[in-house]
Every structure is written in C-alpha cells, then in structure tokens.
C-alpha cells in the first residue's frame, strides 16, 4: 500500500501533507496530555511492531505483494491518536532509511495508513466490543473485524489517490503524467487484493494478538469506561 515517489502529482501530495500535518499536531498534543509514563514503552513497541509487520510482504499471483499494518492493534491498546503517531513513525523510518514509500508521498501514506486505518478500525472495534468485559470474545473478534475493515478502507483511499492522477495531470495527448491507472482500474484491483488476501492477514494478526493478551496480559487492554470518541490517546 506504500505509494512511491512519482505516482502522485504535486496537487495530490501537497494536499495530503496539508491534511495530515494538523492531525499530527493534534495527535502529538493529545498524547503529551494523556499518555501515561508506563504506556510510553508500549507506544514504542507499537511503532516497532508496525514497522516490522509492514516489512513482511505477502506475494499474490500477478507479481504484486501486500502486508499487514498493525494500526488497528495499536489503536485497540492505546487509542487511535497513539496509533497515528506509532504508524507515522514507522512510515517515516521506512521512507527515509529503506526507500519503502516515497518522500513526496509520505503525507498520503500517513493519511491512509496512520489516520484513516486506525480511526476506522478502532470505531469498528468499539462497536463490536461495546462495554463487554475485557475477557469477552467480543474484544478479539472486534479487533479482527476492525483490522479487516480498517485495512480495506485504507486501501480504498489509496486506490482513489491513484485513480485521480490521470484526471488531475496529463499531457496534451491525454497521457497521465503520474500514476496511469484510472479509477475504474485502481479501485477494483486494490479492492480485490485487500478484500480477498491482505485484509484477512491483518484480521488474523490483530485478532490473535488481542486474544493472546486477553489470556496473558489483560491489563494491557483498556476497559471501556468512557463514551465513544472520548479516548484521547
């Protein structure tokens, strides 16, 4: 899902940075106000987990690969704003040190994987887990479904960014200057890959980790004591 340099035109990647930059500021401020000192190592582990799991690419027929992100898992444990910071950190390191995702496209990659995915996935998790006890199966099931839905919505957003490029930037002959795939190509390709393969990888990883923590470290799973939308970290 990492968008490389050269696939997005300036209008798209500048806009993406403009959208995500204020969200980074809000996430940083909210974490500084609410993150407890004992949760800092967990946030660092969340960023490391997201970094590592994104490096394991799953090949599929057609010559392409995909991966899990771990954003919803971090959101379940620390909240979506913390997941925004953790996944952003992982994406920055990958872009600067490993060339995985472009520098110009970093804002767009963070928008899809560090903002859209954890917030959507966390909302689904909350909807399913509700006010059930931490040991309830609704927690791991909600985390798994949240991971599946979050990754697919993020992939859909990425496909839209790709598909808009031929409309936004083309030469006099109508040839695309950046990503050449129109919406009618980008949307079904990204949707099928993530609905059939990569979304399940994300769901299995997220659900299994939450189920393990329920058995062996249930104190890491926050009990729901606030109304939806009140989580600040």
């Amino acid at each position: 899902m990492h968008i490389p340099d050269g696939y997005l035109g300036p209008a798209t990647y500048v806009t993406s940075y403009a959208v995500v930059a204020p969200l980074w500021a809000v996430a940083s401020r909210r974490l500084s106000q609410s993150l407890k000192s004992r949760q800092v190592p967990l946030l660092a582990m969340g960023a490391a987990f997201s970094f590592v799991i994104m490096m394991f690419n799953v090949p599929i027929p057609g010559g392409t690969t995909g991966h899990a992100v771990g954003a919803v898992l971090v959101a379940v444990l620390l909240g979506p704003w913390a997941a925004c910071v953790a996944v952003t950190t992982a994406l920055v390191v990958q872009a600067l040190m490993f060339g995985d995702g472009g520098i110009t496209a970093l804002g767009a990659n963070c928008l899809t994987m560090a903002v859209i995915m954890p917030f959507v996935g966390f909302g689904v998790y909350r909807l399913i887990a509700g006010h059930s006890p931490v040991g309830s199966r609704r927690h791991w099931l909600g985390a798994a479904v949240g991971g599946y839905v979050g990754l697919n919505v993020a992939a859909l957003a990425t496909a839209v960014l790709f598909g808009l490029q031929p409309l936004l930037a083309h030469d006099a002959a109508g040839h695309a200057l950046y990503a050449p795939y129109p919406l009618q190509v980008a949307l079904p390709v990204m949707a099928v890959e993530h609905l059939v393969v990569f979304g399940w990888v994300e769901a299995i990883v997220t659900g299994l980790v939450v189920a393990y923590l329920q058995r062996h470290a249930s104190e890491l799973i926050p009990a729901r004591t606030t109304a939806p939308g009140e989580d600040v970290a």
Side-chain angles (χ1 to χ4, degrees):
M1 202 188 305
H2 292 62
I3 303 173
D5 284 326
Y7 274 64
L8 301 180
T12 304
Y13 64 70
V14 170
T15 301
S16 298
Y17 271 111
V19 170
V20 79
L23 298 175
W24 286 332
V26 173
S28 177
R29 186 174 67 252
R30 299 192 72 156
L31 282 186
S32 65
Q33 294 172 345
S34 61
L35 192 69
K36 299 178 178 63
S37 58
R38 63 181 174 80
Q39 292 177 309
V40 173
L42 190 59
L43 177 63
M45 290 177 62
F49 174 79
S50 179
F51 172 84
V52 170
I53 200 170
M54 283 194 280
M55 301 298 282
F56 287 94
N57 286 298
V58 179
I60 61 173
T64 188
T65 62
H67 54 77
V69 175
V72 177
L73 176 61
V74 181
V76 168
L77 300 180
L78 292 171
W81 290 110
C84 176
V85 172
V87 178
T88 293
T89 302
L91 289 170
V92 169
V93 173
Q94 288 178 332
L96 296 180
M97 300 186 66
F98 296 91
D100 197 3
I103 302 299
T104 59
L106 182 59
N109 285 327
C110 289
L111 180 63
T112 57
M113 287 184 276
V115 176
I116 293 175
M117 182 177 174
F119 276 90
V120 171
F122 184 73
V124 173
Y125 163 72
R126 278 300 204 193
L127 187 64
I128 295 175
H131 291 277
S132 60
V134 170
S136 170
R137 69 179 62 181
R138 290 173 61 178
H139 281 275
W140 69 259
L141 180 62
V145 176
Y148 182 84
V149 174
L151 186 75
N152 276 284
V153 173
L156 182 64
T158 302
V160 170
L161 293 176
F162 280 141
L164 289 176
Q165 300 314 302
L167 299 174
L168 295 175
H170 51 79
D171 61 19
H175 299 131
L177 298 179
Y178 301 101
Y181 314 110
L183 285 170
Q184 59 266 35
V185 173
L187 284 174
V189 169
M190 290 289 286
V192 169
E193 291 176 349
H194 288 80
L195 285 169
V196 175
V197 181
F198 306 133
W200 291 103
V201 175
E202 185 80 36
I204 291 170
V205 169
T206 306
L208 284 177
V209 173
V210 171
Y212 177 86
L213 293 177
Q214 284 181 288
R215 286 177 173 270
H216 301 286
S218 59
E219 70 277 6
L220 295 179
I221 302 175
R224 187 176 184 182
T225 57
T226 58
E230 291 182 357
D231 299 81
V232 293

